[in-house]
Amino acid sequence: MAQRTAGGNAAFHNFHNDYAHIADPNERRRLALAEIDKAPFGWYHVRAIVVAGIGFFTDAYDIFAIGLVTTMLGVVYWHNAQSPSKAGTIDSTADTAIKVATSGGTVIGQVAFGALADIVGRKRMYGLELIIIIFATLAQALSSNSASMSIVGTIIFWRVIMGIGIGGDYPLSSIITSEFATTKWRGAMMGSVFAMQGIGQFAAGIIALICAAGFKDSLSTASSYAKCSGDCAESVDKMWRIIIGFGAVPGCIALYYRLTIPETPRYTFDVARDPEKAGEDVKAYVQGRSEGHPDEIKRVEGIASAEANMTIPKASWGDFFRHYGKWRNGKVLLGTAGSWFFLDVAFYGLSLNNAVILAAIGYSTGSNVYQLFYNTAVGNIIIVCAGAIPGYWVTVATVDTIGRKPIQFMGFAMLTILFCIIGFAYNNIGKNGLLALYVVAQFFFNLYVPHSLPPSHQHKHLKKAPLLTPPSSSSGPNATTFIVPGECFPTRYRSTSHGLSAAAGKVGSIVAQVVIGPLRVRGATATNASPWLNHVMEIYALFMLCGLFTTFLIPETKRKTLEELAGEVPGTPEYNVANLNKGSEEMSTASREREVALGEKNV
């Protein structure tokens, strides 16, 4: 029996004493986690959302800003291009390489940090990815050309490093939010973390707008990128460094809180197998402290008891392959990874229409460099505010009522139809028709796209504004592909599984950029730069259809505890005794009967 502790009041309930008389580690685990699941929404939940969300704010800011920064790099470092028609425009290969570098690093980070968070713990890894992002962001802002190293090579190197940090943030922020969340509002909490991407994109547009306004006099002296030299080029060089460097500011603010967050009780129970520490951490989390401090003697006794009696299997490579070797478990991982892959392949399709969209709202041209940058910033802020910010919060408001699976299914179905219309009727719907379909597609996508068109197509005419990335939108599969992997796997493999699912999505975006996207220029002429664009949209429609089928493989996670979804709770539809240790069902039943009797005796 655990020793009762002093303290606790109406504001900070002493959860520890509620199950202090319980000796069996499985029953203590059940009761402690039930307190987290049933806890009313409070400021400690808001704190968890903000701390985790800052990472996604930073991620979205860094990825969104690079669309404008590559245009500025072209002005500064390609001013003396051999071809006069390409002066002031970054080479298309360099532009693509800079953007794909981030995606490549992200894949590494998602897999590595996802696995390490399951091996060494969430707390030990959380904050490390933010340190990497901050360091790489500042390094990019201080990069320059030299005789032995080009600016492109330097930035690619640091963006790979930054991508590793960004990738690490996906599984860590998702899992930590999920494991600390109340069951009733878990989807809204995770969706709120993800929704910070919209705020990050908005901030990137605002900083770009402020920079353009701040250097207005210098930028107004040049009528085009090719003629931007002297003070104009120096101002543009300062602008891209400010825009990139500002991305480190919110990360620095949130770093302390990430480094001091307590370990999630679920990890401490199931992987570390330390029930005394887990119980104290539950109390510390609610009270806003970094971690609990149990009695060390009781802690050692608890660890020994947990090792002998825990019904949850101990994490190992053998158990990992046995677990996912069963179709019942493996199909869920296939469903989350497949859905994320198909979504991220197809989302690139909307970015191919950005030039038309900005032209339709009157922000694609300018009479001088200042107006080009100003219109770019304002145009993208408008699109983000119209689709991204309200859209993300629509998902937050509905994901715990409508459910994850219906939202994802509806999103993939509608996007299949919309991509078919755009592809097969591309030459007949006109600019206004495309704008309408774009807006509707954004509503059902709920995505951010870390890519812009290669500059060879962005700047067909030098007085066209550079393109940033397309915005996020509202309810759709982008949010659910992030939320579901953080819920439907057992604690011991939850972070690894989320990392693998997210990495599959990022591989999809690389395939879209490198393999499918370039098909649009097949047979290009002087009058038609993208003759195959309609066929590319048809290909993306096929990927949306595939995502529709992989959605059938995932479970509905709405208002179910993480232990129910892992098949660990007897009496629930998801219960699967094969997911537990041998004899665990009998062990759990017997221990519960003993603890109930002991509790009645104590009363």
Side-chain angles (χ1 to χ4, degrees), residues 318-334:
D319 178 67
F320 179 87
F321 289 114
R322 278 193 300 272
H323 180 81
Y324 287 113
K326 301 167 186 172
W327 172 244
R328 181 172 179 173
N329 302 322
K331 72 175 183 180
V332 179
L333 181 58
L334 178 62

Side-chain angles (χ1 to χ4, degrees), residues 7-31:
N9 52 43
F12 300 107
H13 184 72
N14 191 333
F15 292 120
H16 183 270
N17 284 351
D18 290 343
Y19 49 87
H21 66 283
I22 304 295
D24 178 65
N26 298 292
E27 189 66 4
R28 295 196 67 196
R29 169 182 179 270
R30 183 184 70 82
L31 292 172

Side-chain angles (χ1 to χ4, degrees), residues 309-324:
N309 299 311
M310 285 289 285
T311 60
I312 305 302
K314 194 169 185 177
S316 66
W317 285 110
D319 178 67
F320 179 87
F321 289 114
R322 278 193 300 272
H323 180 81
Y324 287 113

Side-chain angles (χ1 to χ4, degrees), residues 427-492:
N427 297 318
N428 300 319
I429 57 179
K431 184 186 298 184
N432 293 332
L434 182 60
L435 175 59
L437 291 171
Y438 181 90
V439 172
V440 176
Q442 287 296 327
F443 181 82
F444 288 102
F445 236 122
N446 190 22
L447 56 93
Y448 76 95
V449 186
H451 322 290
S452 59
L453 292 179
S456 57
H457 301 287
Q458 286 181 11
H459 313 301
K460 187 70 179 176
H461 305 288
L462 290 178
K463 292 197 176 184
K464 284 191 176 182
L467 299 180
L468 283 178
T469 55
S472 302
S473 61
S474 66
S475 56
N478 188 46
T480 56
T481 52
F482 170 80
I483 293 172
V484 174
E487 302 177 304
C488 62
F489 300 108
T491 299
R492 63 192 186 278

Side-chain angles (χ1 to χ4, degrees), residues 93-162:
T93 303
D95 179 76
T96 301
I98 288 173
K99 296 187 174 76
V100 173
T102 308
S103 298
T106 302
V107 172
I108 298 172
Q110 286 165 336
V111 175
F113 275 81
L116 287 172
D118 279 337
I119 296 171
V120 303
R122 283 75 159 126
K123 176 180 172 63
R124 290 185 179 179
M125 298 305 298
Y126 209 40
L128 177 58
E129 83 295 342
L130 201 55
I131 293 173
I132 293 174
I133 293 173
I134 293 169
F135 183 77
T137 298
L138 294 176
Q140 288 176 72
L142 299 175
S143 297
S144 187
N145 224 349
S146 71
S148 60
M149 179 70 73
S150 70
I151 186 66
V152 174
T154 304
I155 290 181
I156 286 175
F157 174 81
W158 288 118
R159 288 197 73 81
V160 169
I161 301 300
M162 186 185 74

